[in-house]
Amino acid sequence: MSGHAAAAFDERDEHGIRVRPALASDVPHIQRLIAPYVDRRILLGKENVALYGSIQQFRIAEGPDGVPIGCGALAVFWDDIAEVRTLALDGEWIHKRVGHRMLEALEHDARELGVARIFCLTFEVEFFAKHGYLEIGEQVVSPDVYAELVRSSDEGVAEFLDLARVKPNTLGNTRMLKIL
């Protein structure tokens, strides 16, 4: 992040919450935060090796005591589109604007990377709609880009493309997109 904007996210708000880039040492906290959502089949589970390998995509929300209370990642798919993924909060912090701050930071990261569109696959339609995301159909990228993306081994890309192999994990989810 650049200058002033980076400082704004790194500062604690009036509730003592700070959103910062994730560290490798945050992986156990990310696992703890996503576990209830994985158990309810809201999020896909991730192996530690995958989390360590993608840690630079993550942001962490810290509570007033410095303990992680939220996480979220931004995965770039192509030159103009990225996905918000693995957005999870400790249950005690839901409806306290922590999710809003996390999403705002991830959207800022997307803008810094020059990404024009952000995708999400979610059960939290109302939350994302409040932030300007709109429900979309299946044709989000051109056929040429689709042909390139279908080669990816990333499960998030497979979800984005709505491939049959991920259908059991995505049933009931809504595909949403925001133009930045």
Side-chain angles (χ1 to χ4, degrees):
M1 264 190 227
S2 61
H4 179 67
F9 289 112
D10 199 39
E11 294 172 2
R12 294 199 180 273
D13 68 9
E14 66 274 10
H15 305 290
I17 307 305
R18 176 173 81 125
V19 176
R20 61 166 174 80
L23 305 171
S25 59
D26 289 320
V27 166
H29 295 289
I30 294 169
Q31 287 288 23
R32 172 182 56 80
L33 290 164
I34 68 173
Y37 301 98
V38 171
D39 291 346
R40 294 188 342 242
R41 298 180 54 99
I42 293 171
L43 290 176
L44 290 175
K46 297 188 187 298
E47 299 295 331
N48 282 339
V49 68
L51 290 173
Y52 284 113
S54 62
I55 198 67
Q56 69 277 11
Q57 298 176 349
F58 277 84
R59 285 193 161 270
I60 295 292
E62 289 182 343
D65 58 0
V67 174
I69 59 170
C71 65
L74 180 76
V76 176
F77 287 170
W78 206 250
D79 68 339
D80 71 333
I81 193 161
E83 178 189 18
V84 170
R85 58 169 61 165
T86 321
L87 187 58
L89 300 178
D90 181 298
E92 293 180 28
W93 289 93
I94 294 173
H95 300 298
K96 296 184 180 175
R97 302 207 38 89
V98 177
H100 168 78
R101 290 204 52 211
M102 291 290 303
L103 186 57
E104 187 177 70
L106 295 170
E107 289 176 357
H108 174 80
D109 292 348
R111 286 183 188 95
E112 289 283 305
L113 292 168
V115 173
R117 302 180 297 163
I118 299 182
F119 166 81
C120 68
L121 184 64
T122 186
F123 289 104
E124 300 297 332
V125 174
E126 185 178 331
F127 170 79
F128 282 97
K130 285 180 183 177
H131 293 90
Y133 289 74
L134 301 173
E135 292 185 38
I136 58 169
E138 295 181 18
Q139 190 69 347
V140 180
V141 295
S142 70
D144 291 344
V145 173
Y146 182 94
E148 292 284 336
L149 290 175
V150 79
R151 296 179 188 153
S152 174
S153 61
D154 184 295
E155 289 297 305
V157 172
E159 288 180 323
F160 170 70
L161 297 176
D162 204 26
L163 300 180
R165 68 183 167 91
V166 295
K167 287 287 190 194
N169 296 318
T170 62
L171 293 176
N173 283 358
T174 299
R175 300 162 60 80
M176 300 184 81
L177 186 76
K178 180 176 182 174
I179 308 295
L180 296 178

